[in-house]
Amino acid sequence: MERPVLKIENLYTVYRTDESLVQAVNGASLELYAGETLGLVGETGAGKTTLALSIMGLLPERIGEVVAGAIELDGVEILSATEADMQLLRGSTVSMIFQDPMTALNPTIPVGEQIGEVLRLHQEHLTREGLSQEVDRILELVGIPAGRKGDYPHQFSGGMKQRIVIAIALACQPKLLLADEPTTALDVTIQAQVLDMMQDLKEKLNTSMLLITHDLGIVAQTCDRVAIMYAGEIIELGTAEDIFNNTRRHPYTDGLFGSIPDLTKPARRLSPIDGLMPDPTDLPQGCKFHDRCPYCEEICKTQAPPAVREGTHLVCCHRMAGEEEAL
């Protein structure tokens, strides 16, 4: 059986402060295979970015900590790896596209040097001339003229800055790309161009991608499988067809779909999910979604829901478990 590029088992990540303990990721498990795109979907505060930072080993020092679970990256257990080991893995095996390209780039260094830094760290055999040629090639690959490698980040538009961030992430052809809402700050036209470019590069390099987003339209367009995250838990997981074409979905997933405008219906208002994401410093017992769920029963308030699997589709919900028992 094919070994996954990324395997996460029962991961718990917290942020410790003097006042509280933030439970950001709570028992998340997932797998990602070569060449596959997995969409990680959820509201702001669901723990999506923390999951990615846990994989990269970039949690804030003295505050963020993985307290339980396992992360295996291309067969290497990374939670026990040293910082020196992680520096070798970042860029060559796993790379991350951060949400805001302006804060991800150094405003005082030309973009060509920022791309070249990654290559110098991981491809020490390159001569100065070879390094320059490789930087030119990578810039052209993402649609930026090589002649602009001496320009600074402020001289580029938002879409071009995002292309440069993608160029840095893909410079050493990593096996896994973590894309943290890479198109949120872009207008729709540039968003489509960036997504198409990422998809083309992924296919050329056979890179696996974990795409973090809250946009189900992007998920439908680009993802092979989808994981729905809520309050730090993976509450639903399956193929894109399982999620989009299935009537047996988690109530939270139904709520996400209900929040999307339907141009075929004459509704005057959207149908948002009532309530707010639970406070991660004081999570409720039982199902974390129970106080917002229209199907909530007493068992939901006290017992964590079981994982109900049907083929490739997994849902964590007492309601689904009840339907299984009835069958």
Side-chain angles (χ1 to χ4, degrees), residues 152-166:
Y152 291 85
H154 72 271
Q155 295 175 275
F156 294 87
S157 67
M160 293 185 81
K161 280 197 283 280
Q162 192 63 282
R163 288 170 182 260
I164 293 164
V165 171
I166 293 170

Side-chain angles (χ1 to χ4, degrees), residues 35-323:
E36 182 181 44
T37 299
L38 174 65
L40 187 61
V41 182
E43 294 172 275
T44 298
K48 306 185 299 297
T49 299
T50 297
L51 182 70
L53 293 176
S54 300
I55 297 167
M56 291 290 292
L58 292 177
L59 293 167
E61 290 185 22
R62 298 183 296 277
I63 297 175
E65 181 186 4
V66 175
V67 294
I71 303 176
E72 194 174 286
L73 183 61
D74 195 28
V76 177
E77 172 51 56
I78 64 172
L79 294 183
S80 58
T82 65
E83 179 57 27
D85 292 334
M86 289 304 300
Q87 287 180 5
L88 293 175
L89 289 173
R90 295 188 201 113
S92 60
T93 302
V94 58
S95 288
M96 186 167 178
I97 301 172
F98 294 93
Q99 188 168 347
D100 184 358
M102 196 60 227
T103 57
L105 295 170
N106 190 324
T108 66
I109 300 177
V111 298
E113 289 187 27
Q114 297 191 52
I115 297 171
E117 181 181 11
V118 181
L119 295 168
R120 281 196 301 272
L121 287 171
H122 297 287
Q123 298 184 20
E124 297 176 351
H125 64 280
L126 287 175
T127 63
R128 177 175 293 186
E129 182 180 352
L131 184 68
S132 178
Q133 291 175 352
E134 189 66 9
V135 169
D136 292 348
R137 183 190 69 81
I138 292 168
L139 281 172
E140 295 284 355
L141 191 66
V142 297
I144 295 177
R148 298 203 62 185
K149 65 182 177 183
D151 290 350
Y152 291 85
H154 72 271
Q155 295 175 275
F156 294 87
S157 67
M160 293 185 81
K161 280 197 283 280
Q162 192 63 282
R163 288 170 182 260
I164 293 164
V165 171
I166 293 170
I168 292 171
L170 294 174
C172 295
Q173 301 185 15
K175 294 184 178 182
L176 174 63
L177 182 64
L178 309 178
D180 187 5
E181 303 199 22
T183 59
T184 297
L186 306 178
D187 62 68
V188 175
T189 305
I190 302 301
Q191 181 184 92
Q193 292 176 4
V194 169
L195 286 172
D196 287 343
M197 182 196 69
M198 288 173 61
Q199 188 67 20
D200 289 344
L201 293 174
K202 188 181 81 72
E203 291 173 359
K204 286 178 183 177
L205 305 175
N206 196 35
T207 301
S208 304
M209 182 163 64
L210 180 66
L211 178 61
I212 298 171
T213 183
H214 55 259
D215 190 329
L216 288 168
I218 291 176
V219 171
Q221 177 184 345
T222 61
C223 296
D224 304 304
R225 291 193 299 132
V226 185
I228 308 295
M229 197 167 192
Y230 185 81
E233 299 177 354
I234 304 295
I235 59 172
E236 185 162 5
L237 179 66
T239 65
E241 185 176 352
D242 288 334
I243 304 299
F244 283 85
N245 298 335
N246 204 321
T247 56
R248 298 181 74 248
R249 293 190 295 238
H250 193 283
Y252 177 64
T253 309
D254 275 337
L256 293 178
F257 278 94
S259 302
I260 301 173
D262 189 343
L263 300 181
T264 65
K265 297 180 181 178
R268 295 173 61 88
R269 300 179 69 88
L270 297 178
S271 301
I273 304 171
D274 292 333
L276 299 172
M277 184 82 67
D279 182 354
T281 64
D282 186 24
L283 292 173
Q285 288 187 329
C287 175
K288 305 295 189 294
F289 186 63
H290 78 254
D291 59 345
R292 305 174 70 185
C293 181
Y295 308 105
C296 178
E297 298 178 359
E298 283 303 313
I299 191 174
C300 302
K301 300 177 183 179
T302 58
Q303 296 183 26
V308 179
R309 183 180 293 276
E310 183 179 340
T312 56
H313 189 205
L314 181 145
V315 182
C316 297
C317 181
H318 287 293
R319 182 166 169 249
M320 301 301 170
E323 291 178 3

Side-chain angles (χ1 to χ4, degrees), residues 3-36:
R3 185 179 70 186
V5 174
L6 173 68
K7 184 177 182 180
I8 300 175
E9 291 184 320
N10 207 28
L11 184 72
Y12 287 82
T13 302
V14 301
Y15 295 107
R16 302 181 190 276
T17 68
D18 292 338
E19 293 80 22
S20 60
L21 178 70
V22 178
Q23 297 170 286
V25 178
N26 302 296
S29 298
L30 55 83
E31 293 180 350
L32 184 59
Y33 292 88
E36 182 181 44

